[in-house]
Amino acid sequence: MVDFSEIPAEMTAWRVRRPGPIDSGPLERARVPVPAPAAGELLVRVRACGVCRTDLHVSEGDLPVHRPAVVPGHEVVGEVVAAGPATRTAIGARVGVAWLRHTCGQCRYCKRGAENLCPDSAYTGWDADGGYAEFAVAPEDYVHPLPAGYSDAELAPLLCAGIIGYRALQRAALPAGGRLGIYGFGGSAHLAAQVALARGAEVHVMTRDRDARELALALGAASAQGAADPPPVALDSAILFAPVGDLVLPALAALDRGGVLSIAGIHLSDIPPLNYQRHLFQEREIRSVTANTRADAREFLDFAGEHRLEVTVHPYPLDTADRALSDLAHGKFAGAAVLVP
């Protein structure tokens, strides 16, 4: 099915012109052609796009360039306005475009249900243009139906911050009724905390930002303290959301025997040397998180449909995407920034 009525020839988009520190202006705003969907692809009119720390890593060059002048953005809420051949989604449907964009389906990782580890995987806003634009194209098999009861801006952070936070929580192996520590409290952490709380966990938050500590307590955290401060109790599990390797040591030291630390970010600064007795002995574990599977996304979005999450969003006009990323880098808000065309 194809319907190109009322679709302009050009659109506004932000591209990573030259990766570098965000204050050096790596993003440029440009007029570019509206992409056309190929077979199996959908064209969506972007209604909201979350601003994720991964977009910052792409823009600043922490992640290697996969597509020159890429349009960042992988938390896209959009309305389907056109579709290529061999698609099933109706024109006008509201869908979500997330980070994971392609997997081979044939490798041993895909076959065992670990498509997030596929060597041939590709990602929105890194390997292909994303949602810092008025329109975006995505493969139909990798877009998601969205839960009702949320605004477009509230849904956007669910599509990466929420999904990755959910996977990080799963990787943390938190026992029923257990004590969870969260290090860093931004867009992803404030959603993962609510999932843990809904499951009956006791949550303790460590973050440098005072507003984020207040938000954590308002959402139901048992305590909130500085980023490297010890929590008031030994932790069964912990998740590190801040991309700061120095925090691995206090997080491990805060774990009880058999505790698990899950590291949620795609990028982390170097980890200082560990002391085996203090940080790892008594069967403590460190686990990384690599992207997510589509099953993770379905599980989390279903959870969000059944449990109304409080999504703290800060809307920015699309024309100010560079400022939104800068504000994220400098910690100027608690919660998640969202671009609204």
Side-chain angles (χ1 to χ4, degrees):
M1 55 184 179
V2 180
D3 180 0
F4 288 103
S5 63
E6 300 183 4
I7 298 173
E10 290 189 339
M11 66 178 182
T12 296
W14 288 87
R15 303 185 296 191
V16 181
R17 175 177 53 87
R18 185 177 60 251
I22 195 62
D23 292 334
S24 71
L27 293 181
E28 69 170 4
R29 187 173 56 182
R31 294 292 295 174
V32 300
V34 172
E41 291 184 337
L42 305 174
L43 175 67
V44 300
R45 187 187 307 274
V46 178
R47 291 164 44 162
C49 182
V51 178
C52 178
R53 189 163 292 275
T54 301
D55 302 333
L56 186 62
H57 294 318
V58 169
S59 299
E60 294 198 314
D62 296 325
L63 299 179
V65 174
H66 279 193
R67 177 182 174 89
V70 71
V71 176
H74 55 274
E75 298 178 324
V76 183
V77 176
E79 175 190 0
V80 177
V81 293
T87 52
R88 307 167 301 280
T89 306
I91 300 297
R94 184 168 73 162
V95 297
V97 181
W99 176 240
L100 186 66
R101 185 181 188 88
H102 167 79
T103 55
C104 73
Q106 300 299 318
C107 69
R108 63 193 185 104
Y109 306 103
C110 287
K111 288 181 177 179
R112 74 183 193 206
E115 66 178 0
N116 59 308
L117 302 179
C118 175
D120 194 37
S121 57
Y123 302 95
T124 307
W126 191 19
D127 295 289
D129 289 338
Y132 283 28
E134 293 176 290
F135 295 87
V137 158
E140 182 182 42
D141 288 344
Y142 291 82
V143 303
H144 303 284
L146 298 172
Y150 296 86
S151 69
D152 295 334
E154 289 173 323
L155 284 168
L158 302 186
L159 290 164
C160 180
I163 295 168
I164 288 297
Y166 179 82
R167 183 169 183 86
L169 181 60
Q170 300 294 87
R171 294 280 290 161
L174 180 66
R179 296 166 170 172
L180 174 69
I182 292 180
Y183 289 79
F185 204 73
S188 189
H190 92 288
L191 297 171
Q194 293 179 67
V195 177
L197 288 164
R199 291 175 170 178
E202 179 182 313
V203 174
H204 299 269
V205 170
M206 279 60 69
T207 180
R208 66 183 182 180
D209 186 76
R210 183 177 63 184
D211 290 343
R213 291 196 293 269
E214 292 177 357
L215 175 60
L217 293 172
L219 290 173
S223 75
Q225 42 272 314
D229 292 342
V233 295
L235 304 172
D236 297 302
S237 303
I239 306 174
L240 175 58
F241 286 100
V244 182
D246 287 347
L247 293 177
V248 170
L249 273 62
L252 286 172
L255 291 176
D256 205 349
R257 298 177 180 216
V260 176
L261 170 64
S262 171
I263 300 177
I266 192 173
H267 171 77
L268 187 72
S269 62
D270 289 343
I271 301 172
L274 303 177
N275 178 281
Y276 179 69
Q277 295 293 332
R278 183 180 180 193
H279 299 118
L280 285 178
F281 193 54
Q282 302 293 354
E283 299 193 352
R284 298 180 180 93
E285 296 181 42
I286 304 176
R287 297 179 178 179
S288 66
V289 175
T290 300
N292 63 272
T293 66
R294 283 172 286 177
D296 293 326
R298 287 192 296 270
E299 289 176 15
F300 172 70
L301 292 171
D302 286 346
F303 182 94
E306 296 165 2
H307 302 78
R308 182 57 167 86
L309 301 176
E310 295 297 324
V311 189
T312 301
V313 296
H314 302 270
Y316 288 76
L318 177 61
D319 288 348
T320 63
D322 52 348
R323 181 164 64 85
L325 264 187
S326 177
D327 287 353
L328 172 64
H330 295 296
K332 291 189 176 181
F333 53 79
V338 177
L339 302 179
V340 182

